[in-house]
Amino acid sequence: MSANPLSKAAMLMVAIVLTSLIAWELFLRNKGITPSYDDGPALWSHKRSMVYEPADKSTVFIGSSRIKYDLDIDTWKNSTGDIPIQLAVEGHSPLPALYDLADDKKFKGRLIVDVTEGLFFSNSPGAMQLINNNIKYYKELTPAQRVSFKLNKIVESQLVFLDKDNFSLNAELDKLEIRSRKGVFMMPIFPLDFGRTTFNRQAVMTNKFVADTNLHNRVKGIWYFFSQQRGEPPPSGAKLDSFLLSVKIAVDKIKARGGQVLFVRTPSSGNYWQAEQGGFPREKYWNKLLETTSSPGIHFADYPTIAHFICPELSHLTQADAVIFTKEFIKILRDEKGWKFPKGPNP
């Protein structure tokens, strides 16, 4: 008895699809591309659920992209025996996450807040959108979404082509980079090698990116593009005071439950760092933030061991430098700030 023509067609279609996917996967791997996790609401929510680990055995990090590149997760874990929980979001303010944790009465842990002034001191909706979406997703997470996340983790760790941000149909269309025009804004496309995402939500530059000055310049051009976009000027006067008061209220809520909050200014370099100093004078913003919140802070420029880094594209560390930065950061926390970790030496 011959097979049904429809069954033959279905089997042929499955064979074609499987062959195409295998060929696509092999093509990407032959180009040296490695798997990268989808850093969307599901992965962020997974990390957000971990903030209830004992305060003496974990540290939560919020901020923008710098802390995602500059904190080497494995180095932190191996050096401290502490669990680092990465909740930073690229291109976004840490304040929605700060307010969320402040209002969560179950959170009583240690929190490190990375300060990138142009994002931290911004009230732009664009600097809040993704992090607010992540928080909403976490609060409305369903059992089915939890199961889906666990399954996705398994396949994402094995298959390159599942990188939604780079190899989905929408991502491929975005690579056409149609110019912005009146009423239509096209987000610049970062080189794939600029950032690959681990399951711990660490962002890592590939060796190819580190070695390629053309790619460095391409990202520098994106930073320049963003700097030319018109937005509200940095807050000052009464507006800045009101802004800082809202941060203080959130910090005080965490401290009142026995938690700790520390601010960190991670490295930038070259004319990017010069522009940041000009736009956000330290005495007016960083110093006032620490003073208003009565919180400790670590500014990279104050410590020779972490002040010397040259960022390839002016704003983020290579993974090799992130390892060094993380080791020195831990030393400062231990020796100057009196932080204790599960793994010694401790003050």
Side-chain angles (χ1 to χ4, degrees):
M1 184 176 179
S2 60
N4 187 301
L6 290 178
S7 298
K8 286 184 176 180
M11 292 172 64
L12 179 61
M13 180 60 68
V14 169
I16 292 172
V17 170
L18 287 176
T19 301
S20 299
L21 291 178
I22 291 171
W24 182 226
E25 179 72 13
L26 292 175
F27 171 77
L28 295 174
R29 286 183 178 273
N30 285 336
K31 293 180 68 175
I33 301 171
T34 55
S36 179
Y37 286 87
D38 175 15
D39 193 15
L43 184 57
W44 188 92
S45 295
H46 172 70
K47 303 307 175 187
R48 173 63 177 82
S49 68
M50 297 171 60
V51 305
Y52 309 112
E53 294 283 342
D56 61 344
K57 296 180 180 178
S58 64
T59 303
V60 179
F61 294 83
I62 61 175
S64 308
S65 58
R66 284 178 186 161
I67 196 65
K68 287 192 68 183
Y69 281 84
D70 298 359
L71 180 79
D72 188 72
I73 298 292
D74 288 341
T75 300
W76 179 278
K77 288 191 295 187
N78 293 336
S79 298
T80 66
D82 180 86
I83 302 170
I85 302 166
Q86 182 59 268
L87 295 180
V89 176
E90 287 96 332
H92 280 66
S93 167
L95 294 185
L98 174 63
Y99 299 148
D100 175 52
L101 292 170
D103 290 336
D104 186 342
K105 295 180 180 179
K106 294 187 294 181
F107 175 67
K108 304 174 184 179
R110 294 194 298 202
L111 177 66
I112 292 179
V113 185
D114 183 42
V115 177
T116 297
E117 294 88 349
L119 293 167
F120 185 93
F121 292 99
S122 173
N123 282 317
S124 167
M128 311 285 179
Q129 183 178 359
L130 288 182
I131 182 67
N132 281 329
N133 289 347
N134 287 349
I135 293 169
K136 183 175 184 294
Y137 184 95
Y138 169 73
K139 291 181 176 180
E140 298 175 356
L141 194 61
T142 66
Q145 288 171 326
R146 288 191 179 92
V147 172
S148 177
F149 170 77
K150 291 178 180 179
L151 294 175
N152 286 340
K153 174 191 172 184
I154 296 171
V155 294
E156 278 187 88
S157 66
Q158 302 299 319
L159 298 173
V160 173
F161 75 82
L162 291 178
D163 181 350
K164 179 172 68 67
D165 292 333
N166 289 289
F167 303 122
S168 66
L169 177 59
N170 285 339
E172 293 295 336
L173 291 174
D174 286 342
K175 290 175 186 177
L176 296 174
E177 295 195 65
I178 300 171
R179 291 182 178 275
S180 296
R181 57 190 184 278
K182 187 176 181 179
V184 178
F185 174 76
M186 299 300 296
M187 182 68 71
I189 305 300
F190 287 91
L192 177 146
D193 290 291
F194 177 50
R196 309 298 287 158
T197 302
T198 71
F199 185 70
N200 289 318
R201 298 193 70 251
Q202 179 177 344
V204 179
M205 298 177 192
T206 68
N207 292 334
K208 178 182 176 182
F209 181 88
V210 174
D212 192 334
T213 55
N214 289 325
L215 292 178
H216 302 174
N217 291 333
R218 180 175 165 187
V219 177
K220 289 176 185 178
I222 294 175
W223 300 149
Y224 178 77
F225 171 84
F226 283 133
S227 73
Q228 299 304 299
Q229 302 307 301
R230 292 183 178 180
E232 290 187 14
S236 59
K239 190 173 182 179
L240 178 59
D241 291 340
S242 176
F243 178 94
L244 291 174
L245 178 60
S246 69
V247 177
K248 171 181 169 54
I249 291 171
V251 169
D252 285 349
K253 288 180 181 179
I254 295 172
K255 290 180 179 179
R257 298 194 293 265
Q260 292 177 269
V261 178
L262 178 141
F263 292 92
V264 61
R265 206 312 184 161
T266 41
S268 54
S269 61
N271 55 20
Y272 203 129
W273 165 229
Q274 296 299 323
E276 289 176 312
Q277 292 180 84
F280 296 88
R282 181 168 171 174
E283 65 278 3
K284 182 178 177 180
Y285 291 93
W286 172 260
N287 292 354
K288 200 167 184 180
L289 170 65
L290 301 188
E291 178 185 352
T292 301
T293 61
S294 301
S295 299
I298 296 174
H299 195 296
F300 83 97
D302 293 338
Y303 301 89
T305 56
I306 58 173
H308 65 282
F309 294 110
I310 304 299
C311 305
E313 37 58 75
L314 307 177
S315 188
H316 303 81
L317 298 182
T318 66
Q319 188 174 19
D321 282 344
V323 170
I324 299 170
F325 171 83
T326 303
K327 289 179 179 178
E328 297 301 330
F329 184 45
I330 292 167
K331 288 181 183 178
I332 296 168
L333 288 170
R334 279 184 168 134
D335 298 344
E336 183 179 304
K337 305 304 178 183
W339 279 37
K340 295 182 179 181
F341 296 101
K343 193 174 178 179
N346 281 314

